[in-house]
Amino acid sequence: MSHVHQGPLFPFHSNLRNNSMTIALSVPGENDSTVRHLNQRKQEGITIISIKIHKHSTIAKISDVNISYYITEEWLENANITTQIPVMHALEAVAREIHDLNG
C-alpha cells in the first residue's frame, strides 16, 4: 500500500519514488531547508541532480550529478536577481536527453 509523503511544496506518493530523480535549483546552494530535503531524498534512494552557479556549494556536493554554469550573481538590495536563463537551457537539454532515452 502506497502512502503520501510531504515534500517541501507538495505531497507525492511513495510509489513515484522508484526510478525517479529530483532536480535542485538554488543560486547560493546553501539553503538549510533545501539541503535537508535533498538529504532526505538521497537517503530514500532518489537521484539528485543540481543545476548551480557554484560547483562547490553544499547542494552541488550532495548531488549525484551537478551541472554548473558560470555567470556573475546580480543583487538588487537584498534580492538575488541573477538571470535564470542558463538554468532553463540546462533543464530543456536534460528533458530532451530523457525523451531521447525513453524514445
Side-chain angles (χ1 to χ4, degrees), residues 79-92:
N80 188 322
I81 59 167
T82 305
T83 182
Q84 295 299 302
I85 291 174
V87 174
M88 295 305 299
H89 175 73
L91 284 171
E92 289 176 2

Side-chain angles (χ1 to χ4, degrees), residues 17-64:
R17 288 184 289 167
N18 293 336
N19 199 25
S20 66
M21 70 177 146
T22 294
I23 300 176
L25 312 171
S26 172
V27 173
E30 302 299 333
N31 182 288
D32 288 338
S33 65
T34 302
V35 168
R36 252 189 333 273
H37 177 73
L38 292 175
N39 277 322
Q40 180 182 359
R41 296 287 144 303
K42 193 166 182 100
Q43 288 176 357
E44 294 170 354
I46 293 174
T47 300
I48 308 295
I49 298 174
S50 61
I51 303 175
K52 308 281 313 108
I53 290 178
H54 305 291
K55 67 179 180 181
H56 301 293
S57 71
T58 301
I59 290 173
K61 289 177 183 177
I62 64 174
S63 298
D64 297 294

